[in-house]
Amino acid sequence: MVRELLKRHGKTYAEEAGITLRDTPQPLYQLLVLSLLLSARIRSDIALASSRALTRAGMKDPKRMAEATWQQRVDALGEGGYRRYDERTATQLGQGAELLLDRWGGDVRRMRKSDDPERALREVPGIGPMGVAIFLREAQAVWPEYQPYLDDKALQGAERLGLPKSPEKLAGMVRKDELAPLAAGLVRVALSKDVAEEVWDAARG
């Protein structure tokens, strides 16, 4: 079951958004932006397209995001189809970039070294508990102290497939470098009965 899940849906959301995740400032910032976009009540494909549109428009790091005008951010989000929350999100992206620059020197890695990284992430406008969970699910690939990070949404997917609902037991089924892809795949199962049925059928076949 786990092998079929990884083979069919084990692509991280960062990878799908075109982010080559490393423990360096730019990709971690892009992941933070993606986490903000994915945590809104909007389809994940629109959030991914909007993340790519922001990158194409040059808003790859906090400095460039802060220097962009509010309208440029709105336009990039609109290009990705992110229209329902575009104005509020454009404001949040600008405020978040300023906060990162002022408090963390524009480097998300400094949050990791803080007393409470999760609280630091939540202080970014637009990043609530769900945004933190999305970020850490993906960041565990380069921040191993968070492994295994399988939040409630990932565990819902595990339950749907009849897999253990224990992060430790699930982690024992894969290599450490497969934990972030496993988490992403389980989330897709939780969000879509069709994905769940596809994996079930493949595993049984």
Side-chain angles (χ1 to χ4, degrees):
M1 188 74 74
V2 170
R3 286 296 119 203
E4 288 297 340
L5 174 64
L6 287 171
K7 184 167 77 175
R8 293 165 184 277
H9 298 286
K11 191 175 190 179
T12 64
Y13 284 93
E15 188 183 352
E16 205 173 338
I19 301 166
T20 302
L21 195 58
R22 290 186 292 268
D23 189 26
T24 54
Q26 187 167 297
L28 286 170
Y29 175 68
Q30 290 174 329
L31 175 60
L32 188 65
V33 169
L34 176 63
S35 301
L36 186 159
L37 298 175
L38 283 167
S39 62
R41 291 179 180 176
I42 203 156
R43 293 203 325 265
S44 61
D45 60 331
I46 291 175
L48 290 160
S50 300
S51 169
R52 291 190 290 266
L54 286 165
T55 299
R56 279 197 305 274
M59 297 171 228
K60 300 177 180 181
D61 56 53
K63 185 172 183 291
R64 291 177 188 172
M65 184 68 79
E67 287 173 351
T69 66
W70 178 82
Q71 190 61 52
Q72 285 171 327
R73 293 193 291 268
V74 168
D75 290 346
L77 290 167
E79 185 188 325
Y82 205 93
R83 295 190 179 87
R84 187 173 170 193
Y85 303 103
D86 56 349
E87 296 188 356
R88 186 183 72 183
T89 301
T91 300
Q92 290 172 335
L93 288 170
Q95 292 170 340
E98 295 285 359
L99 180 140
L100 267 169
L101 291 165
D102 293 345
R103 192 174 301 175
W104 304 104
D107 191 343
V108 177
R109 294 176 302 177
R110 294 187 182 181
M111 293 182 172
R112 181 186 183 185
K113 295 174 184 173
S114 70
D115 293 338
D116 189 343
E118 293 185 41
R119 187 181 70 187
L121 287 165
R122 282 198 306 274
E123 287 173 357
V124 177
I127 299 286
M130 186 186 296
V132 171
I134 294 167
F135 181 86
L136 292 176
R137 268 198 323 250
E138 302 267 320
Q140 68 179 313
V142 292
W143 290 4
E145 68 270 26
Y146 282 98
Q147 294 176 349
Y149 196 93
L150 295 158
D151 64 328
D152 289 345
K153 185 60 74 175
L155 296 178
Q156 282 174 27
E159 185 176 31
R160 184 172 262 185
L161 292 178
L163 294 168
K165 277 192 72 180
S166 156
E168 290 72 24
K169 286 182 181 176
L170 289 165
M173 297 177 171
V174 296
R175 301 190 311 267
K176 286 193 172 184
D177 65 337
E178 293 175 323
L179 281 167
L182 173 66
L186 289 172
V187 168
R188 291 186 178 97
V189 168
L191 294 173
S192 168
K193 285 184 180 178
D194 290 343
V195 170
E197 287 171 6
E198 180 196 338
V199 174
W200 258 111
D201 291 345
R204 283 190 303 226

